[in-house]
Amino acid sequence: MKTLIKGGTVVTAIDTVEADVLVDGEAVVALAAPGSHSWEDDADKVIDASGKLVVPGGIDPHTHMELPFGGTYASDTFETGSRAAAWGGTTTMVDFAVQVKGETMMDGYTNWMEKAAGNCAVDYGFHMIAGDINESSLKEMEQLVDLGVTSFKLFMAYPGVLYSDDGDILRAMQTAAGLDAMIMMHAENGIAIDVLREQAIARGETDPVYHSLTRPAITESEATHRAIVLSELAGVHLYVVHMSAKEAVAEIAEARDRGLPVFAETCPQYLFLSVEDHVSKPGFEGAKYVCSTPIRLRSEGHQEALWNGLATNDLQVVSTDHCPFCMDDHPTLGMQKKLGLGDFTAIPNGLPGVEDRYQLMYHGGVVGGRIDVNRWVEICSTAAAKMFGLYPKKGTIAVGSDADIVIFDPNAKWTKSVEQHHMFVDYSVYEGLEVQGKVETVMLRGKVIVDGDEYVGEKGDGQYLKRDTVSVHH
Ligand code: DUC
Ligand code: ZN
Ligand code: ZN
């Protein structure tokens, strides 16, 4: 099956060129000046991309389909969530398999493989959440790396649940260093935060906004600093997830200036949402925006610092931390966000976004004049591919790369709404936002899976990605 994508503007992390793209089977086989070759004659399918951007499929390296959290589960399954990803132009996601306390990492891997295999609309890989560091789980890390799980996430938050203390963190980092694996860190001082939460509840401060206010920026920057120190001791590559505080970004910048292999991501919710406009909405509305790290005070200047970090490469990646919970009853799981009515500490943490990311970053980043199109592609696709052992199969449009391609209309204007999205959740955190730019066609390894507003793929199109170990040094 040969497909010609003609007349578009091909944008990669480096180049912006007018070019025809020839896809044969699952791969890109040639690029050429528009109309310079008679590829049209023997193509099985021709897609006219005139006036459109032709960009690599998005890579979301941080999703939580069906994550168990706070007595319920994230409302998107691998089937519904990966289809929503496809609609949003994301053709690869890396989800977090979970090793819970008392289980092995292999249990976590097997459980997540069972949930995902045969259900995914896009290609997928796994990181491993190391929830129980001990002698035997440290030994298992090598086995996981051999299976293509080359990154391990640790939590400095959530004491008693996923939390690891500094000793466990250092041991896991030392082991990862010996395997060329990446350590991913949820950097918040969970012990201090738990004290602030208890004190807030004792004062009767039970509304959703207190979720944000009991996780002040300093609890993120302190943990980020400590994670960097421990990674330096261990000599391991460190990737700090979902950064939201400007002081924490400064820690990353300082470490990178010293030449350490330290990397970080942020997510659209931290660039677009604030305590003032969202989390402090009256009644229980603020629960929609409860996630950790938290949405922060606009007045403290975090959004500008995060945008600036993306522009200057202090931050390298934009992921989603997609982890949706319904506001009202979920059809089978029942109460989700409302588990926390009258007690913000019982609100499941997380919000939807896997479908929104690529487009929103175009809108806020490129249309907003903060980054150029190449940087947009880099932070939404290329950088994650390099960071997590998928490049150049994923993350670019080049001869030999997988034909994961998005045709993007840079001029379309539309309004975001729960009515229009496909994520399995009953609200949008961007309800009513007027945006520019729209995903039009999505190809996964040469097969069109989204055509206009229609999903035309099949359940199970997505394949498991066995990822390489770390090779980034920038
Ligand atoms: N943060 C969230 O908001 N949800 C899931 C886990 C996490 O760390
Ligand atoms: Zn986290
Ligand atoms: Zn997460």
Side-chain angles (χ1 to χ4, degrees):
M1 166 91 182
K2 280 188 183 166
T3 305
L4 169 65
I5 302 169
K6 68 165 195 184
T9 303
V10 177
V11 180
T12 67
I14 305 290
D15 298 311
T16 306
V17 287
E18 306 299 312
D20 291 345
V21 180
L22 187 64
V23 173
D24 192 357
E26 300 197 337
V28 173
V29 292
L31 281 89
S36 62
H37 289 61
S38 50
W39 289 338
E40 195 149 358
D41 303 342
D42 71 348
D44 303 288
K45 187 180 171 75
V46 178
I47 300 174
D48 182 1
S50 322
K52 308 286 159 61
L53 305 181
V54 179
V55 297
I59 299 178
D60 188 342
H62 192 154
T63 66
H64 296 289
M65 305 305 166
E66 303 175 43
L67 178 78
F69 193 104
T72 186
Y73 287 84
S75 58
D76 258 320
T77 61
F78 275 89
E79 185 180 351
T80 62
S82 66
R83 219 184 303 140
W87 252 298
T90 288
T91 51
T92 296
M93 60 187 203
V94 191
D95 202 89
F96 288 83
V98 185
Q99 177 211 20
V100 293
K101 290 221 188 303
E103 285 188 4
T104 65
M105 287 190 185
M106 276 310 292
D107 290 334
Y109 172 81
T110 311
N111 290 341
W112 254 254
M113 201 49 120
E114 270 171 21
K115 293 184 210 214
N119 290 320
C120 277
V122 300
D123 286 355
Y124 60 97
F126 300 122
H127 314 285
M128 177 58 62
I129 288 180
D132 197 351
I133 302 290
N134 55 49
E135 203 68 19
S136 68
S137 62
L138 288 172
K139 288 210 182 75
E140 280 186 288
M141 287 169 70
E142 183 168 4
Q143 205 179 339
L144 269 299
V145 167
D146 289 342
L147 291 165
V149 180
T150 55
S151 36
F152 297 85
K153 183 180 179 190
L154 300 166
F155 284 78
M156 301 169 107
Y158 306 127
V161 194
L162 294 168
Y163 174 83
S164 293
D165 68 21
D166 290 1
D168 286 341
I169 290 171
L170 184 58
R171 275 186 274 271
M173 283 179 165
Q174 289 169 331
T175 307
L179 297 168
D180 284 334
M182 180 76 88
I183 287 291
M184 305 173 79
M185 188 63 75
H186 179 126
E188 286 187 295
N189 186 325
I191 303 280
I193 287 167
D194 267 10
V195 173
L196 300 179
R197 278 153 74 91
E198 256 176 53
Q199 291 169 344
I201 292 291
R203 287 193 297 269
E205 296 169 351
T206 60
D207 287 346
V209 70
Y210 293 105
H211 172 82
S212 280
L213 302 182
T214 53
R215 309 177 94 85
I218 196 170
T219 60
E220 184 184 336
S221 57
E222 181 278 329
T224 301
H225 181 83
R226 189 157 33 100
I228 292 166
V229 170
L230 294 168
S231 75
E232 189 174 2
L233 263 177
V236 76
H237 282 67
L238 173 71
Y239 177 98
V240 182
V241 295
H242 51 50
M243 301 216 76
S244 63
K246 65 175 193 282
E247 296 84 349
V249 178
E251 295 288 349
I252 299 287
E254 192 267 344
R256 290 173 61 76
D257 287 348
R258 287 200 289 125
L260 295 175
V262 169
F263 310 92
E265 65 175 23
T266 188
C267 314
Q269 55 269 32
Y270 305 119
L271 298 162
F272 287 86
L273 307 178
S274 67
V275 168
E276 290 92 331
D277 297 335
H278 301 91
V279 197
S280 64
K281 281 187 183 175
F284 193 63
E285 275 292 282
K288 290 177 177 172
Y289 316 97
V290 165
C291 59
S292 297
T293 61
I295 304 299
R296 300 200 177 277
L297 287 157
R298 182 163 33 71
S299 60
E300 290 179 349
H302 302 289
Q303 291 186 359
E304 291 75 14
L306 293 169
W307 280 114
N308 194 43
L310 288 170
T312 60
N313 206 36
D314 286 341
L315 297 172
Q316 296 78 44
V317 172
V318 173
S319 73
T320 60
D321 200 9
H322 177 77
C323 190
F325 299 98
C326 290
M327 266 301 264
D328 289 300
D329 273 354
H330 178 285
T332 56
L333 300 170
M335 292 268 261
Q336 296 213 285
K337 288 287 187 181
K338 284 187 179 159
L339 287 166
L341 265 174
D343 176 4
F344 75 86
T345 67
I347 301 171
N349 286 199
L351 50 77
V354 74
E355 187 173 353
D356 302 309
R357 181 188 66 123
Y358 213 170
Q359 189 284 329
L360 256 188
M361 292 310 298
Y362 181 83
H363 174 75
V366 180
V367 179
R370 294 166 167 123
I371 53 174
D372 64 17
V373 277
N374 308 101
R375 184 63 180 160
W376 167 58
V377 166
E378 188 168 25
I379 61 179
C380 290
S381 179
T382 320
K386 290 183 177 173
M387 201 79 69
F388 295 111
L390 295 167
Y391 189 82
K393 179 177 161 71
K394 305 293 189 190
T396 193
I397 297 179
V399 172
S401 293
D402 279 359
D404 296 345
I405 294 175
V406 173
I407 299 174
F408 191 86
D409 181 345
N411 299 312
K413 294 204 164 89
W414 55 292
T415 304
K416 293 184 69 63
S417 168
V418 63
E419 305 298 330
Q420 141 283 327
H421 79 200
H422 305 88
M423 298 175 284
F424 197 90
V425 63
D426 55 2
Y427 71 95
S428 167
V429 293
Y430 307 108
E431 190 65 40
L433 183 68
E434 292 176 13
V435 291
Q436 180 180 330
K438 200 169 196 308
V439 170
E440 200 174 83
T441 307
V442 180
M443 193 182 259
L444 175 70
R445 280 179 283 102
K447 175 178 174 179
V448 173
I449 58 170
V450 172
D451 186 6
D453 287 328
E454 219 183 317
Y455 173 70
V456 295
E458 282 157 90
K459 180 171 156 168
D461 278 339
Q463 291 181 353
Y464 174 68
L465 297 166
K466 197 166 171 291
R467 295 181 295 112
D468 291 337
T469 50
V470 174
S471 58
V472 276
H473 292 288
H474 59 82

